[in-house]
mmCIF file of all heavy atoms in Angstrom:
data_model
loop_
_atom_site.group_PDB
_atom_site.id
_atom_site.type_symbol
_atom_site.label_atom_id
_atom_site.label_comp_id
_atom_site.label_asym_id
_atom_site.label_seq_id
_atom_site.Cartn_x
_atom_site.Cartn_y
_atom_site.Cartn_z
ATOM 1 N N ASP W 311 1.953 22.594 21.825
ATOM 2 C CA ASP W 311 2.799 22.828 20.543
ATOM 3 C C ASP W 311 2.479 21.592 19.681
ATOM 4 O O ASP W 311 2.523 21.720 18.394
ATOM 5 C CB ASP W 311 4.311 22.645 20.804
ATOM 6 C CG ASP W 311 4.705 24.082 21.584
ATOM 7 O OD1 ASP W 311 4.386 25.048 21.072
ATOM 8 O OD2 ASP W 311 5.150 23.935 22.804
ATOM 9 N N ILE W 312 2.197 20.440 20.144
ATOM 10 C CA ILE W 312 1.901 19.240 19.439
ATOM 11 C C ILE W 312 0.998 18.229 20.214
ATOM 12 O O ILE W 312 1.120 18.173 21.368
ATOM 13 C CB ILE W 312 3.281 18.626 18.982
ATOM 14 C CG1 ILE W 312 3.099 17.658 17.807
ATOM 15 C CG2 ILE W 312 3.858 17.715 20.069
ATOM 16 C CD1 ILE W 312 4.368 17.277 17.132
ATOM 17 N N CYS W 313 0.151 17.760 19.440
ATOM 18 C CA CYS W 313 -0.888 16.759 20.098
ATOM 19 C C CYS W 313 -0.596 15.356 19.294
ATOM 20 O O CYS W 313 -0.587 15.423 18.205
ATOM 21 C CB CYS W 313 -2.305 17.190 19.861
ATOM 22 S SG CYS W 313 -2.621 18.860 20.620
ATOM 23 N N VAL W 314 -0.449 14.442 20.153
ATOM 24 C CA VAL W 314 0.029 13.077 19.528
ATOM 25 C C VAL W 314 -0.932 12.007 19.815
ATOM 26 O O VAL W 314 -1.333 11.693 20.999
ATOM 27 C CB VAL W 314 1.381 12.592 20.011
ATOM 28 C CG1 VAL W 314 1.828 11.314 19.325
ATOM 29 C CG2 VAL W 314 2.405 13.758 19.908
ATOM 30 N N ASN W 315 -1.487 11.373 18.814
ATOM 31 C CA ASN W 315 -2.564 10.300 18.906
ATOM 32 C C ASN W 315 -1.802 8.984 19.049
ATOM 33 O O ASN W 315 -1.113 8.702 18.179
ATOM 34 C CB ASN W 315 -3.464 10.310 17.719
ATOM 35 C CG ASN W 315 -4.498 9.449 17.805
ATOM 36 O OD1 ASN W 315 -4.599 8.521 18.588
ATOM 37 N ND2 ASN W 315 -5.577 9.733 17.005
ATOM 38 N N THR W 316 -1.957 8.340 20.281
ATOM 39 C CA THR W 316 -1.214 7.067 20.440
ATOM 40 C C THR W 316 -2.062 5.836 20.191
ATOM 41 O O THR W 316 -1.721 4.732 20.746
ATOM 42 C CB THR W 316 -0.628 7.135 21.942
ATOM 43 O OG1 THR W 316 -1.706 7.271 22.955
ATOM 44 C CG2 THR W 316 0.487 8.089 22.092
ATOM 45 N N THR W 317 -3.106 6.083 19.639
ATOM 46 C CA THR W 317 -4.110 4.901 19.249
ATOM 47 C C THR W 317 -3.274 3.967 18.382
ATOM 48 O O THR W 317 -2.700 4.240 17.381
ATOM 49 C CB THR W 317 -5.223 5.385 18.457
ATOM 50 O OG1 THR W 317 -6.007 6.289 19.154
ATOM 51 C CG2 THR W 317 -6.127 4.155 17.952
ATOM 52 N N ASP W 318 -3.012 2.723 18.873
ATOM 53 C CA ASP W 318 -2.392 1.636 18.173
ATOM 54 C C ASP W 318 -0.898 1.894 18.027
ATOM 55 O O ASP W 318 -0.167 1.278 17.154
ATOM 56 C CB ASP W 318 -2.895 1.368 16.724
ATOM 57 C CG ASP W 318 -4.435 0.826 16.792
ATOM 58 O OD1 ASP W 318 -4.846 0.265 17.840
ATOM 59 O OD2 ASP W 318 -5.111 1.234 16.006
ATOM 60 N N ALA W 319 -0.374 2.952 18.761
ATOM 61 C CA ALA W 319 1.046 3.193 18.529
ATOM 62 C C ALA W 319 1.915 2.661 19.684
ATOM 63 O O ALA W 319 1.401 2.258 20.713
ATOM 64 C CB ALA W 319 1.147 4.759 18.761
ATOM 65 N N ASP W 320 3.173 2.494 19.129
ATOM 66 C CA ASP W 320 4.245 1.902 20.069
ATOM 67 C C ASP W 320 4.808 3.067 20.899
ATOM 68 O O ASP W 320 5.474 3.736 20.125
ATOM 69 C CB ASP W 320 5.145 1.156 19.265
ATOM 70 C CG ASP W 320 6.337 0.433 20.255
ATOM 71 O OD1 ASP W 320 6.467 1.068 21.429
ATOM 72 O OD2 ASP W 320 6.872 -0.525 19.873
ATOM 73 N N ILE W 321 4.670 3.199 22.103
ATOM 74 C CA ILE W 321 5.007 4.458 22.903
ATOM 75 C C ILE W 321 6.577 4.620 22.621
ATOM 76 O O ILE W 321 7.000 5.726 22.585
ATOM 77 C CB ILE W 321 4.738 4.277 24.318
ATOM 78 C CG1 ILE W 321 3.154 4.228 24.576
ATOM 79 C CG2 ILE W 321 5.241 5.574 25.117
ATOM 80 C CD1 ILE W 321 2.403 5.520 24.096
ATOM 81 N N ARG W 322 7.312 3.425 22.681
ATOM 82 C CA ARG W 322 8.729 3.533 22.425
ATOM 83 C C ARG W 322 9.156 4.279 21.237
ATOM 84 O O ARG W 322 9.986 5.185 21.067
ATOM 85 C CB ARG W 322 9.270 2.073 22.336
ATOM 86 C CG ARG W 322 10.691 1.954 22.738
ATOM 87 C CD ARG W 322 10.967 0.420 22.771
ATOM 88 N NE ARG W 322 9.901 -0.394 23.350
ATOM 89 C CZ ARG W 322 10.166 -1.434 24.164
ATOM 90 N NH1 ARG W 322 11.337 -1.798 24.454
ATOM 91 N NH2 ARG W 322 9.174 -2.053 24.644
ATOM 92 N N GLU W 323 8.360 3.863 20.121
ATOM 93 C CA GLU W 323 8.642 4.530 18.764
ATOM 94 C C GLU W 323 8.300 6.033 18.876
ATOM 95 O O GLU W 323 9.007 6.898 18.361
ATOM 96 C CB GLU W 323 7.800 3.901 17.670
ATOM 97 C CG GLU W 323 8.470 2.568 17.183
ATOM 98 C CD GLU W 323 7.654 1.745 16.230
ATOM 99 O OE1 GLU W 323 6.704 2.335 15.682
ATOM 100 O OE2 GLU W 323 7.822 0.701 16.064
ATOM 101 N N VAL W 324 7.173 6.338 19.402
ATOM 102 C CA VAL W 324 6.677 7.751 19.413
ATOM 103 C C VAL W 324 7.561 8.494 20.290
ATOM 104 O O VAL W 324 8.063 9.559 19.808
ATOM 105 C CB VAL W 324 5.358 7.877 20.307
ATOM 106 C CG1 VAL W 324 4.762 9.175 20.360
ATOM 107 C CG2 VAL W 324 4.233 7.029 19.430
ATOM 108 N N ALA W 325 8.212 7.889 21.377
ATOM 109 C CA ALA W 325 9.268 8.692 22.160
ATOM 110 C C ALA W 325 10.476 8.888 21.346
ATOM 111 O O ALA W 325 10.983 10.029 21.459
ATOM 112 C CB ALA W 325 9.505 7.775 23.475
ATOM 113 N N GLU W 326 10.870 7.955 20.556
ATOM 114 C CA GLU W 326 12.145 8.105 19.705
ATOM 115 C C GLU W 326 11.984 9.301 18.748
ATOM 116 O O GLU W 326 12.757 10.123 18.508
ATOM 117 C CB GLU W 326 12.498 6.830 19.071
ATOM 118 C CG GLU W 326 13.458 6.055 19.913
ATOM 119 C CD GLU W 326 13.484 4.540 19.557
ATOM 120 O OE1 GLU W 326 13.251 4.287 18.316
ATOM 121 O OE2 GLU W 326 13.723 3.614 20.403
ATOM 122 N N VAL W 327 10.765 9.319 18.097
ATOM 123 C CA VAL W 327 10.712 10.370 17.093
ATOM 124 C C VAL W 327 10.456 11.684 17.727
ATOM 125 O O VAL W 327 11.077 12.685 17.288
ATOM 126 C CB VAL W 327 9.285 9.904 16.323
ATOM 127 C CG1 VAL W 327 8.619 11.157 15.638
ATOM 128 C CG2 VAL W 327 9.382 8.806 15.394
ATOM 129 N N LEU W 328 9.719 11.761 18.835
ATOM 130 C CA LEU W 328 9.609 13.099 19.464
ATOM 131 C C LEU W 328 10.860 13.584 20.093
ATOM 132 O O LEU W 328 11.253 14.792 20.067
ATOM 133 C CB LEU W 328 8.645 13.021 20.775
ATOM 134 C CG LEU W 328 7.029 12.988 20.293
ATOM 135 C CD1 LEU W 328 6.260 12.870 21.465
ATOM 136 C CD2 LEU W 328 6.760 14.273 19.440
#
Side-chain angles (χ1 to χ4, degrees):
Chain W
D311 293 301
I312 200 161
C313 301
V314 184
N315 189 341
T316 55
T317 302
D318 301 327
D320 181 336
I321 299 293
R322 207 176 315 223
E323 284 173 16
V324 177
E326 271 162 25
V327 164
L328 282 178

